Amino acid sequence: MDNAHQPVVAARSHALHGMVVSPHTVASEAGREILRQGGTAVDAAVAVSAALSVTYPHMNGLGGDGLWLFYDAATRQVYGLNGAGRSAVRLQSPEHNQELPQRGAAAATTVPGAVDAWWQAHQRLGKLPWAALLEPAIGLAQDGYELSPSQSRWTQRDWELLTHDLGAAAVFSLAAQPTGQPIKNPALAEVLQALAPGGTDEFYRGANARANVGYIAPLGSPLSLEDFATHQSSWVDPIATTYRGHRVYQLPPSTQGLSVLQILNLIEPYNIAGLGQVDYYHLLVEATKLAFRDRNRWIGDPGFSDIPVERLISKPYADGLRSQISPSLARSEPLSATGGDTIYAAVVDRQGNAVSLLQSLYFDYGCGVVPPSLGFALNNRGSLFSLDPSHPNGLAPGKRPLHTLIPAMALRHGQPRLVFGTMGGEGQPQTQVALLTRVLDLGLDIQTAVNLPRWRWGRTWGQPTARLALEGRIEPAICDALRQRGHQLQIEADWSEAMGHAHMIQILDDRFLGACDPRSDGVAVGV
């Protein structure tokens, strides 16, 4: 659902001692307060993530996943954390000629991984007491927060879905109101309070897990107490390529992070600054098609198949593909619909530590099922599995599906310079490349890079073919020229929330700059 009005476009924020950016103002402020208390970027990021689980429950939460990138100033290393859940050990393929369920408890097939990711990040790179990081979120759930335009819109849109589940209807009934209403979630506050004393055991092996499984299993979910008890996030080595003097980092499979690196490799020889707008859009879309073709062929859980990552992200491989980009004709490429609603947040601290993270339920409100005693929706990420058993992303028990979440950062001379990302399913690689080219090739400031009109090539649910979606602010003459090259266009709102909430932090020698997407309800705040 698109924003129907032009948002107030804020100027970029700047600070000397740290920066936080997220899609909800009070979540950003929670992270800033943790930085002021002497917390690390990871401490602040955990606080932001927990707060967003309360204030943006339609897009993320304790029932979803979390994927993180970290720069550790002490070791000068970039680390990755895959906090995606694995599928149930009792997961079975649907009967012949049936598709994977998209909504309802039967679509809750993967363990929520976000909470364990918070814990793993804090244990390795945090400083303040764990309980202190959850205090802002507990207060928001107990005392209430102001209903955001985004949550109001999506709850009204999804209200019929939510009424199919007694828990969802009970927990989120007040969110189907006009913006600005006070919203509380006492059940979620109790869950967060139970996590505060001792970490995640209560969530994965205690009363919270029993309440979760006890509610969703009778409704058709294959998840069991065993699935929750054995879940653990995975520390992974990031993958990277170079672009315009920067080293750009992404998470490896099971995420689509290599798509960004492939697109950058494909467009690197072009003089991006010298291209006209039509050529710019055309080039990036055509490069995206080639990268997504590889994504759809290769990406899945690396524990189940061999994925030639190093070859796919190499410069010679891109050199061999580049000739398939026609300067004047759009390629026709089949593409599966991937969807996805997510949050992106970033934090840097005065010591130079940086965090880039995404949390997601996959669809808005996930599978649409909410255990009423817990107060959060379960994700439906498992609906992205393929029913082809020979495919790397083929459905199987104990497996992570292909994941669209791709936090990013770019380093120069071994130091982080840009920390960035966006929500938006398969729009994520495309928007990341838009941000990088606007800053590194066109020399734009980061807020302008975020504000400029965006595009998204892909197929949404219910459409027979892939289309190139463009924000309505793109000039009609440009749209006409793209149609003449064979692009099937879909014109969206001027400031379309479907294009994602993209945020950036730029780290300069003497200060931090932050840019928050005006398509969101957030703000960049510094210390």
Side-chain angles (χ1 to χ4, degrees):
M1 180 177 291
D2 291 338
N3 292 333
H5 61 281
Q6 181 170 332
V8 176
V9 180
R12 65 184 179 183
S13 178
H14 62 89
L16 300 178
H17 304 300
M19 183 67 66
V20 182
V21 61
S22 85
H24 198 287
T25 298
V26 297
S28 296
E29 291 171 346
R32 175 168 62 179
E33 181 58 30
I34 293 297
L35 290 182
R36 285 174 171 167
Q37 294 175 21
T40 67
V42 165
D43 290 327
V46 171
V48 170
S49 301
L52 286 169
S53 297
V54 178
T55 62
Y56 249 46
H58 53 304
M59 291 189 174
N60 83 124
L62 279 67
D65 293 328
L67 286 94
W68 299 55
L69 271 181
F70 312 86
Y71 176 80
D72 181 21
T75 61
R76 295 172 62 91
Q77 295 294 314
V78 180
Y79 302 106
L81 182 62
N82 187 332
R86 297 170 181 84
S87 58
V89 295
R90 294 203 300 256
L91 181 65
Q92 296 180 348
S93 296
E95 296 181 4
H96 185 62
N97 292 330
Q98 289 188 349
E99 297 181 349
L100 288 170
Q102 305 296 320
R103 299 283 201 174
T109 59
T110 60
V111 178
V115 173
D116 185 68
W118 301 350
W119 178 250
Q120 296 289 344
H122 174 260
Q123 291 299 102
R124 183 167 183 175
L125 297 167
K127 176 182 176 183
L128 295 185
W130 163 258
L133 311 183
L134 302 182
E135 286 180 3
I138 293 170
L140 290 167
Q142 278 184 333
D143 302 331
Y145 62 94
E146 186 175 293
L147 178 64
S148 70
S150 179
Q151 188 184 357
S152 175
R153 282 193 301 272
W154 282 101
T155 307
Q156 292 179 52
R157 169 177 166 164
D158 292 336
W159 185 240
E160 182 178 356
L161 165 72
L162 297 177
T163 59
H164 292 164
D165 177 68
L166 293 176
V171 171
F172 293 116
S173 60
L174 293 179
Q177 299 184 67
T179 297
Q181 299 295 320
I183 299 293
K184 297 181 181 181
N185 193 334
L188 182 55
E190 290 186 11
V191 174
L192 291 167
Q193 286 174 325
L195 293 176
T200 60
D201 278 351
E202 187 71 11
F203 190 85
Y204 290 100
R205 287 165 285 278
N208 289 164
R210 292 191 293 272
N212 210 330
V213 173
Y215 186 77
I216 62 176
L219 298 177
S221 172
L223 288 170
S224 68
L225 291 175
E226 177 188 359
D227 296 318
F228 276 79
T230 57
H231 171 75
Q232 190 171 26
S233 303
S234 301
W235 289 95
V236 296
D237 293 327
I239 56 177
T241 194
T242 55
Y243 186 79
R244 307 297 189 239
H246 291 71
R247 190 160 184 81
V248 181
Y249 286 85
Q250 295 283 336
L251 289 176
S254 55
T255 82
Q256 63 173 340
L258 64 76
S259 297
V260 176
L261 307 184
Q262 284 189 312
I263 297 169
L264 293 175
N265 287 341
L266 285 166
I267 69 173
E268 188 175 34
Y270 292 86
N271 176 14
I272 302 298
L275 295 177
Q277 286 185 288
V278 176
D279 289 333
Y280 172 80
Y281 289 128
H282 177 80
L283 172 64
L284 268 62
V285 170
E286 295 306 293
T288 296
K289 293 176 181 178
L290 295 177
F292 281 2
R293 185 175 65 185
D294 276 343
R295 180 197 67 181
N296 296 342
R297 175 185 178 186
W298 289 108
I299 302 305
D301 188 332
F304 286 73
S305 61
D306 292 327
I307 305 170
V309 174
E310 292 304 319
R311 179 172 71 87
L312 294 173
I313 64 173
S314 70
K315 303 290 188 183
Y317 182 78
D319 294 340
L321 282 184
R322 197 173 295 110
S323 62
Q324 298 182 42
I325 298 176
S326 166
S328 59
L329 185 64
R331 290 176 60 88
S332 177
E333 288 280 352
L335 184 67
S336 299
T338 58
D341 285 290
T342 309
I343 64 90
Y344 174 75
V347 183
V348 293
D349 64 29
R350 69 174 66 202
Q351 286 76 32
N353 302 298
V355 178
S356 184
L357 72 97
L358 285 128
Q359 289 186 165
S360 176
L361 297 171
Y362 191 37
F363 283 9
D364 37 292
Y365 281 114
C367 68
V369 175
V370 179
S373 64
L374 303 180
F376 58 81
L378 275 298
N379 76 84
N380 63 332
R381 181 64 60 173
S383 62
L384 196 48
F385 277 120
S386 168
L387 288 177
D388 179 357
S390 66
H391 193 279
N393 192 42
L395 183 72
K399 184 178 184 180
R400 285 178 168 135
L402 182 156
H403 230 291
T404 53
L405 305 190
I406 49 171
M409 59 179 67
L411 276 63
R412 185 173 178 86
H413 304 309
Q415 299 286 338
R417 291 302 182 190
L418 295 170
V419 185
F420 60 100
T422 182
M423 58 163 273
E426 65 193 13
Q428 291 187 34
Q430 302 174 71
T431 296
Q432 285 193 16
V433 172
L435 297 177
L436 283 175
T437 53
R438 288 168 175 175
V439 173
L440 300 183
D441 289 283
L442 305 182
L444 301 176
D445 70 87
I446 59 173
Q447 189 66 61
T448 300
V450 167
N451 292 351
L452 282 175
R454 294 209 288 266
W455 70 92
R456 183 192 68 256
W457 179 78
R459 182 170 76 86
T460 54
W461 297 104
Q463 289 183 340
T465 59
R467 294 177 179 269
L468 175 57
L470 302 173
E471 284 192 309
R473 292 177 290 144
I474 294 176
E475 296 176 9
I478 295 174
C479 297
D480 290 342
L482 290 169
R483 289 190 184 96
Q484 291 173 8
R485 297 191 188 191
H487 295 281
Q488 296 186 51
L489 302 190
Q490 175 179 316
I491 307 302
E492 302 201 358
D494 285 359
W495 295 87
S496 173
E497 193 175 16
M499 293 297 171
H501 300 161
H503 313 301
M504 297 189 83
I505 295 177
Q506 187 172 25
I507 304 168
L508 303 178
D509 291 338
D510 59 346
R511 65 192 187 281
F512 304 101
L513 304 179
C516 184
D517 200 324
R519 301 165 184 84
S520 76
D521 304 297
V523 66
V525 294
V527 292

